[in-house]
Structure formats: C-alpha cells, structure tokens
Amino acid sequence: MLPEFVPPALPWAGAGVAHAYHCEAERAHIMAQANTDQGLMPQGMVALVDDEVQIVQALKALLSFKGVAASVHESAESLLAALTQRDGQLWLADADGEPTRLGAVVLDLNLPGMNGADLAAELHRLRPQLPIVMITA
C-alpha cells in the first residue's frame, strides 16, 4: 500500500485531483514503465496548453520523438474552441485536419484568460477520465 497524501483544499483539488502518492518505490515503478514504453503512453493526441512558446515547442518535440502527436494551444480558450465531443470522447483535428481522439492534456497553471485550474475543471467535467498534467514555473 502506498502512503497517501490528500492535498488541502486548493483551486485545482476539485478538478479531478483527489489524491497524490509519493514514495521512492512508486517513482521507481513509474520510471521503469516509462523506460519500457509500457503503460504511460497516451491513447490519442496530447494537447499542450501554455502561453510560453518555447516550452510547448520543446514538449511537442519530446512527444514527437516518442511517436506521440501533439497540438499546441496558447490559451485555455484556444483548446476549448478546438475540441469537439463525440461518443463520450474529446477530439482535436490533427495536422491533416482529421479528427483525433484527445488522449491527455499538459497545461500550465498560469494562463492568460481562463487559468489552468479552471481549464482542468472544465476538461474534467467534459471527460472525467482524461489524464491531465499541470505544470508551472
């Protein structure tokens, strides 16, 4: 059993982030999965949401190196406008304009307009199972 940490009431706590786990054994397991490409690859396109172009371009290049398609959005509103919902899934257009299932979202907490916590809450409302990674500097 992993040690459990329940975060205090923070703006992002209601966005599907209920529990977090941290211990060296779990970190080692996650790294082992990442090194063998098992279990950590998103099933679909990854949306990158950050107003700092260099950060999203670097993340997009890393994902591309692993064979994962990514779309770049400079704001929460940009991502929400690009999404369509069908069959309980969220979809984005790929580079050829074809609909591609949204597999995960990496977003900055500090965004212009709608902030990252509010975007995470909206995405969780639209599709509760969607993996969301929040980053901030």
Side-chain angles (χ1 to χ4, degrees):
M1 181 80 172
L2 294 172
E4 185 173 354
F5 167 72
V6 179
L10 296 171
W12 47 264
V17 180
H19 301 280
Y21 298 94
H22 176 74
C23 72
E24 284 303 312
E26 182 64 10
R27 182 178 178 281
H29 175 71
I30 289 170
M31 294 309 294
Q33 283 184 324
N35 289 335
T36 59
D37 292 334
Q38 296 175 14
L40 294 178
M41 298 301 286
Q43 300 301 308
M45 182 179 282
V46 174
L48 305 171
V49 187
D50 197 320
D51 58 326
E52 295 187 40
V53 176
Q54 300 88 346
I55 291 175
V56 290
Q57 291 303 328
L59 289 171
K60 185 175 182 179
L62 286 170
L63 289 169
S64 176
F65 179 72
K66 292 299 251 178
V68 177
S71 65
V72 173
H73 305 272
E74 292 183 10
S75 69
E77 293 84 359
S78 167
L79 172 62
L80 292 173
L83 290 174
T84 56
Q85 196 167 17
R86 186 180 77 223
D87 303 325
Q89 298 291 327
L90 295 174
W91 300 81
L92 281 170
D94 66 12
D96 298 324
E98 294 296 318
T100 303
R101 189 168 74 87
L102 180 62
V105 177
V106 178
L107 59 91
D108 186 10
L109 285 174
N110 298 313
L111 293 169
M114 177 188 277
N115 66 43
D118 290 341
L119 174 58
E122 179 63 12
L123 292 169
H124 180 71
R125 185 187 70 74
L126 294 171
R127 185 167 172 253
Q129 306 84 7
L130 181 67
I132 299 171
V133 177
M134 295 183 203
I135 59 174
T136 193

